[in-house]
């Protein structure tokens, strides 16, 4: 069964609880001894216990309690008390990324396993970039030890910040999250988002790699007689690239007049440079091959043309290598934009039920009761007893 949780949207108004000292001080100060008035001999006057005195003392205590409750309810209204019906904060939620499981050592996995078992109700969930609900991400604690890691330098890119934001939509704002991840750049692709839940980051800092990217491309150059000069510059640029950079380029030169016989050969390449004015055959325009036409390479006479060609051929591979091997600092990961007050209030209303209506009703009832109790002694005046 889900537990109930009360949260405050404007905790600063809890300073209003200091006003509870006002009725207490008034009550204590009103109990000072009265002034002694000289009176005649009272030996012949019959002394009786007056029930009005006990009733007055009881009324004073009731009024004090009621007035304290009124101030307490008023502070609750100002602090915007919310009732989260789906709150279950008995234990922290533990989130672990697939990259952390891959890169962590057996000792680190054992430590996580023991911390999960030490928790009364461990809740472990996997973050792997898939669009799944929280229940579909759930893992058993023993799955941590069974996970086979490795030393792979590549992993599936994802935006952990966005994944966290999606998960926290189904959680109360007071729910604490333990998150295990690495500092690999491709785990944090995209924009940062605001996260209102308290998050305890456990970041495994991977060592910086000194290896150079292994760039490779298979290239088919299709040309006709009208683009022989451009073909010569491209051939020279490719020779310069293979001579100066650690790249592996395989080139197939295909004459446009014989393209019908070499369609299968061209379709097997990763890139096609098409130096023909007629449209590209539909058999090659399937989206799986990167097409470079003569217009994209019109700066072939420039001195830096080899670099332009290298950018066209290896841009995606270089980006992938940088994403896999670049590392983020703790500050870059954990420093997130703050949520403004209006957005915080709107989010809280979505995750909880406001109680201000009920609190206002309780305040009105307490006010009516306070008036009735305070007027009660005046309707029951003490009777003057005879001789």
């Amino acid at each position: 069964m889900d537990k109930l949780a009360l949260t405050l949207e404007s905790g600063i108004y809890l300073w209003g609880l200091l006003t509870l000292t006002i009725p207490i001080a008034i009550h204590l100060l009103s109990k000072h001894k009265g002034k002694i008035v000289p009176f005649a001999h009272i030996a012949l006057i019959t002394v009786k216990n007056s029930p009005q005195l006990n009733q007055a003392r009881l009324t004073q205590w009731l009024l004090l309690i009621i007035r304290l409750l009124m101030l307490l309810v008023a502070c609750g209204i100002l602090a915007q008390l919310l009732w989260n019906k789906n709150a279950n904060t008995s234990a922290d939620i533990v989130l672990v990324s697939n990259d952390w499981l891959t890169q962590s050592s057996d000792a680190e996995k054992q430590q996580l396993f023991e911390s999960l078992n030490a928790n009364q109700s461990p809740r472990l969930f996997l973050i792997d970039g898939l669009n799944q609900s929280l229940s579909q991400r759930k893992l058993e604690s023993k799955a941590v030890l069974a996970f086979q890691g490795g030393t792979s330098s590549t992993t599936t890119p994802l935006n952990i910040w966005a994944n966290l934001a999606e998960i926290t939509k189904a959680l109360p704002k007071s729910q604490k999250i333990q998150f295990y991840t690495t500092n690999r750049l491709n785990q944090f692709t995209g924009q940062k988002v605001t996260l209102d839940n308290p998050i305890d980051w456990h970041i495994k800092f991977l060592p910086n790699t000194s290896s150079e990217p292994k760039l490779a491309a298979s290239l088919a150059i299709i040309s006709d007689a009208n683009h022989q000069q451009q073909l010569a510059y491209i051939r020279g640029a490719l020779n310069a690239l293979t001579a100066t950079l650690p790249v592996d380029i395989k080139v197939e030169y295909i004459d446009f007049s014989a393209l019908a016989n070499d369609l299968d050969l061209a379709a097997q390449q990763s890139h096609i440079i098409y130096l023909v004015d007629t449209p590209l055959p539909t058999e090659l325009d399937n989206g799986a091959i990167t097409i470079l036409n003569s217009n994209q390479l019109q700066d072939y006479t420039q001195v830096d043309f080899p670099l332009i060609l290298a950018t066209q051929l290896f841009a995606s591979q270089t980006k992938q290598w940088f994403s896999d091997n670049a590392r983020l600092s703790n500050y870059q990961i954990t420093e997130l934009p703050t949520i403004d007050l209006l957005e915080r209030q709107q989010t809280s209303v979505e995750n909880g039920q406001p109680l201000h209506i009920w609190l206002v009703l309780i305040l009105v009832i307490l006010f009516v009761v306070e008036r009735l109790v305070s007027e009660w002694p005046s309707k029951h005046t003490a009777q003057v007893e005879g001789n």
Side-chain angles (χ1 to χ4, degrees):
M1 181 178 179
D2 292 337
K3 295 186 176 181
L4 305 180
L6 295 177
T7 58
L8 299 173
E9 282 303 297
S10 304
I12 190 173
Y13 288 104
L14 290 181
W15 286 102
L17 294 176
L18 295 177
T19 58
L20 295 178
T21 60
I22 297 177
I24 296 177
I26 295 175
H27 177 77
L28 295 176
L29 293 176
S30 64
K31 296 178 70 64
H32 67 278
K33 293 182 179 180
K35 183 180 180 181
I36 299 177
V37 179
F39 197 73
H41 199 276
I42 59 174
L44 300 178
I45 298 177
T46 303
V47 179
K48 294 183 178 180
N49 293 326
S50 175
Q52 282 77 14
L53 180 60
N54 294 332
Q55 181 181 354
R57 291 175 179 173
L58 178 60
T59 301
Q60 290 178 359
W61 281 106
L62 285 176
L63 287 174
L64 176 62
I65 294 174
I66 293 173
R67 287 163 183 169
L68 290 175
L69 289 175
M70 291 174 63
L71 291 174
L72 186 62
V73 173
C75 290
I77 295 174
L78 293 176
Q80 302 182 43
L81 197 62
L82 295 177
W83 178 27
N84 292 322
K85 297 186 293 182
N86 61 340
N88 186 4
T89 57
S90 58
D92 296 348
I93 284 183
V94 180
L95 303 178
V96 58
S97 69
N98 189 75
D99 194 35
W100 187 92
L101 290 174
T102 302
Q103 299 296 328
S104 58
S105 63
D106 292 340
E108 291 170 326
K109 295 175 185 176
Q110 180 67 33
Q111 184 179 4
L112 175 57
F113 175 76
E114 293 175 355
S115 66
L116 290 172
N117 289 339
N119 201 322
Q120 294 181 354
S121 55
R123 293 182 289 169
L124 176 65
F125 302 92
L126 177 66
I127 302 297
D128 54 5
L130 300 178
N131 187 17
Q132 296 177 333
S133 63
L134 192 61
S135 59
Q136 293 174 317
R137 300 173 185 263
K138 190 169 184 180
L139 287 178
E140 297 294 334
S141 58
K142 60 183 179 181
V144 174
L145 297 178
F147 194 91
Q148 297 296 325
T151 58
S152 174
S153 61
T154 61
T155 186
T156 304
L158 66 135
N159 188 341
I160 283 179
W161 299 309
N163 274 257
L164 275 173
E166 186 67 25
I167 289 174
T168 54
K169 289 181 180 179
L171 301 175
K173 295 307 174 184
S174 58
Q175 177 68 65
K176 188 176 180 180
I177 298 175
Q178 303 279 343
F179 196 92
Y180 290 78
T181 182
T182 64
N183 65 331
R184 196 193 299 268
L185 175 61
N186 70 354
Q187 299 295 284
F188 300 91
T189 59
Q191 296 293 325
K192 291 184 176 181
V193 295
T194 55
L195 298 173
D196 205 24
N197 290 71
I199 299 176
D200 191 2
W201 294 90
H202 301 269
I203 303 173
K204 180 176 178 60
F205 291 93
L206 303 178
N208 292 320
T209 179
S210 58
S211 62
E212 296 180 351
K214 297 179 180 179
L215 304 178
S218 57
L219 184 62
I221 301 179
I222 304 173
S223 60
D224 59 9
N226 297 329
H227 295 82
Q228 292 303 305
Q229 183 181 12
Q230 191 175 17
L231 176 62
Y233 275 95
I234 292 175
R235 191 191 300 269
L238 292 175
N239 292 334
L241 289 178
T242 55
T244 57
L245 296 178
V247 295
D248 181 15
I249 304 177
K250 297 180 180 180
V251 185
E252 296 289 344
Y253 295 94
I254 301 175
D255 189 89
F256 180 71
S257 61
L259 179 59
N261 299 326
D262 295 325
L263 281 176
D264 293 339
L265 178 62
Q268 297 173 5
Q269 313 307 313
S270 62
H271 295 73
I272 291 178
I273 295 181
Y274 191 68
L275 306 178
V276 182
D277 294 331
T278 58
L280 182 72
T282 56
E283 293 87 349
L284 299 178
D285 192 10
N286 54 15
I289 305 174
T290 301
I291 308 297
L292 302 175
N293 55 41
S294 58
N295 293 329
Q296 293 174 280
L297 302 175
Q298 59 183 351
D299 296 330
Y300 60 90
T301 59
Q302 301 296 325
V303 177
D304 60 346
F305 178 69
L307 295 179
I308 297 175
L309 183 59
T311 301
Q312 296 283 354
L313 295 177
F314 305 113
S316 60
Q317 295 182 48
T318 304
K319 181 180 179 181
Q320 177 67 36
W321 179 89
F322 180 78
S323 178
D324 289 335
N325 293 276
R327 307 290 183 254
L328 297 179
S329 66
N330 182 80
Y331 178 83
Q332 290 173 313
I333 294 174
T334 60
E335 188 66 20
L336 300 176
T338 56
I339 186 171
D340 57 46
L341 180 60
L342 179 59
E343 184 179 354
R344 184 186 299 272
Q345 291 175 345
Q346 293 175 345
T347 305
S348 299
V349 170
E350 294 175 358
N351 290 274
Q353 178 181 359
L355 298 177
H356 60 275
I357 297 178
W358 293 101
L359 293 178
V360 170
L361 181 60
I362 293 174
L363 185 60
V364 172
I365 294 175
L366 288 174
F367 176 77
V368 173
V369 173
E370 191 271 343
R371 288 290 82 207
L372 292 176
V373 174
S374 62
E375 294 295 333
W376 182 264
S378 62
K379 295 181 181 179
H380 297 77
T381 58
Q383 297 179 359
V384 179
E385 298 183 356
N387 298 332

